[in-house]
Amino acid sequence: MSSLAARTFALDEACRESRTIAELDGHFGAFVAELEFGAWRALLIAQGGLRNLVFASGRPPSEWSAHYLENGLAEYDAVIDLVQRLSAPVIWNRIAGSTLLTREARRVFSEARACGLVDGVCTPVRLADGELWIVATFAIQPVSPSEEMMFAF
């Protein structure tokens, strides 16, 4: 087993043993930082849109988070759309330049870059009760996740 896989399983165990949001945030935040992402946030997807629910909020990029929510960008976010249909992580830079994106979807990526976010990985987490969460990691420089890193997500 690779060291990243071993750390992923250790994270899973530590998170299950967490008794508070602060403990959970500490475990997950350290793991995300180790993968060289600067910030992260977990969001609950509600049918018909995004519910602003901060869970183990980590270090979310506050300027981007506020701008995103105030401007209703979830409605146009291609990542939100893809994560609802896929089970694999979505890497921003792999879709940001797609000619298939609407003008509004391209605007979301453009405004994220204006807020200092260059790349990210968004991973769907589907719960047994049908809820869908997105764990979003944000980077201020392009990322090229290895297969091992993608396994961790």
Side-chain angles (χ1 to χ4, degrees):
M1 179 181 327
S2 72
S3 62
L4 182 57
R7 290 192 310 270
T8 303
F9 286 115
L11 170 68
D12 180 61
E13 184 176 333
C15 287
R16 282 192 239 180
E17 294 175 3
S18 295
R19 298 286 177 240
T20 66
I21 293 295
E23 286 179 18
L24 188 62
D25 178 46
H27 294 304
F28 194 76
F31 182 73
V32 168
E34 188 176 332
L35 295 178
E36 299 181 6
F37 289 98
W40 71 282
R41 168 171 260 176
L43 304 165
L44 176 64
I45 297 294
Q47 199 157 31
L50 182 71
R51 233 186 286 172
N52 179 22
L53 226 159
V54 178
F55 175 76
S57 59
R59 292 170 290 171
S62 58
E63 180 185 348
W64 171 242
S65 295
H67 178 79
Y68 186 89
L69 294 170
E70 288 169 8
N71 290 283
L73 297 180
E75 183 178 343
Y76 310 108
D77 193 337
V79 173
I80 299 282
D81 184 50
L82 282 171
V83 167
Q84 291 182 81
R85 294 184 283 136
L86 301 174
S87 59
V90 175
I91 302 168
W92 288 14
N93 278 336
R94 291 192 182 165
I95 64 168
S98 171
T99 57
L100 300 175
L101 293 179
T102 64
R103 182 175 48 129
E104 292 84 2
R106 286 192 300 276
R107 182 182 132 216
V108 173
F109 287 111
S110 175
E111 291 182 18
R113 284 189 292 276
C115 288
L117 303 177
V118 175
D119 206 351
V121 177
C122 294
T123 306
V125 178
R126 298 178 193 288
L127 303 182
D129 65 3
E131 285 188 338
L132 171 62
W133 286 79
I134 294 178
V135 176
T137 55
F138 307 97
I140 58 172
Q141 59 190 11
V143 295
S144 297
S146 64
E147 285 186 33
E148 183 182 37
M149 184 187 288
M150 293 307 290
F151 169 76
F153 283 101

